[in-house]
Amino acid sequence: MKKAAFICIHNSCRSQIAEALGKHLASDVFESYSAGTETKPQINQDAVRIMKELYGIDMEKTQYSKKYEEIPEPDIAISMGCDVGCPFIGREFDDNWGLADPTGQSDDDFKAVISEIEKNIIQLSKAIRKQTGNE
């Protein structure tokens, strides 16, 4: 099974949401990991709250902020967006989702980013299914 890594600088918000949604929506297609080039003491609390509200997912139960070196070597590496500076992970990214960081923004801003991540996870899942012949 392919391994997908969702990468941002601090591994506290967008990448954590992508890992959670990847596990929730596509665990039969790929393994989801998130990481950063730096870490934060905890996952963004607005992201945690809104993911619980929308999907019933408690990211703090199974996820924590970690560095890229701490996850398995991914087959697919996706940048969440380089608006805060693209992290260097020792290889090129397979895709850049170009998502704005909603930290400090409204719940509606968080929900818009979460919705984009959900759409991207579904598209990635479909692409991998097609690539592996498991449509």
Side-chain angles (χ1 to χ4, degrees), residues 2 25-30 76 121-135:
K2 292 208 180 268
L25 300 170
S27 63
D28 61 325
V29 181
F30 58 86
I76 302 161
I121 291 288
I122 292 167
Q123 287 178 342
L124 178 61
S125 176
K126 286 179 182 177
I128 292 172
R129 282 183 200 276
K130 188 174 186 177
Q131 189 180 68
T132 59
N134 294 323
E135 292 181 83

Side-chain angles (χ1 to χ4, degrees), residues 82-120:
C82 292
D83 60 323
V84 293
C86 240
F88 178 71
I89 59 169
R91 64 173 272 195
E92 294 292 317
F93 284 103
D94 295 293
D95 199 358
N96 177 357
W97 286 355
L99 302 166
D101 185 354
T103 299
Q105 305 298 315
S106 71
D107 282 10
D108 286 342
D109 291 328
F110 266 89
K111 289 175 181 176
V113 168
I114 290 168
S115 177
E116 283 301 309
I117 291 172
E118 180 178 344
K119 287 179 201 168
N120 290 341

Side-chain angles (χ1 to χ4, degrees), residues 9-91:
I9 299 288
H10 296 115
N11 188 224
S12 64
C13 191
R14 295 166 293 169
S15 57
Q16 292 284 352
I17 292 166
E19 177 182 351
L21 287 177
K23 289 176 177 176
H24 183 68
L25 300 170
S27 63
D28 61 325
V29 181
F30 58 86
E31 295 175 24
S32 296
Y33 300 91
S34 67
T37 52
E38 301 172 19
T39 59
K40 290 279 189 179
Q42 65 181 13
I43 300 172
N44 181 296
Q45 292 301 288
D46 289 322
V48 169
R49 176 178 52 79
I50 294 169
M51 287 294 288
K52 275 185 198 173
E53 176 187 308
L54 294 176
Y55 301 94
I57 297 170
D58 185 349
M59 295 191 298
E60 290 183 307
K61 283 192 174 181
T62 59
Q63 295 173 219
Y64 61 94
S65 186
K66 58 205 159 301
K67 290 187 177 182
Y68 183 74
E69 300 81 33
E70 298 175 56
I71 64 171
E73 181 70 28
D75 300 298
I76 302 161
I78 298 172
S79 170
M80 294 292 96
C82 292
D83 60 323
V84 293
C86 240
F88 178 71
I89 59 169
R91 64 173 272 195

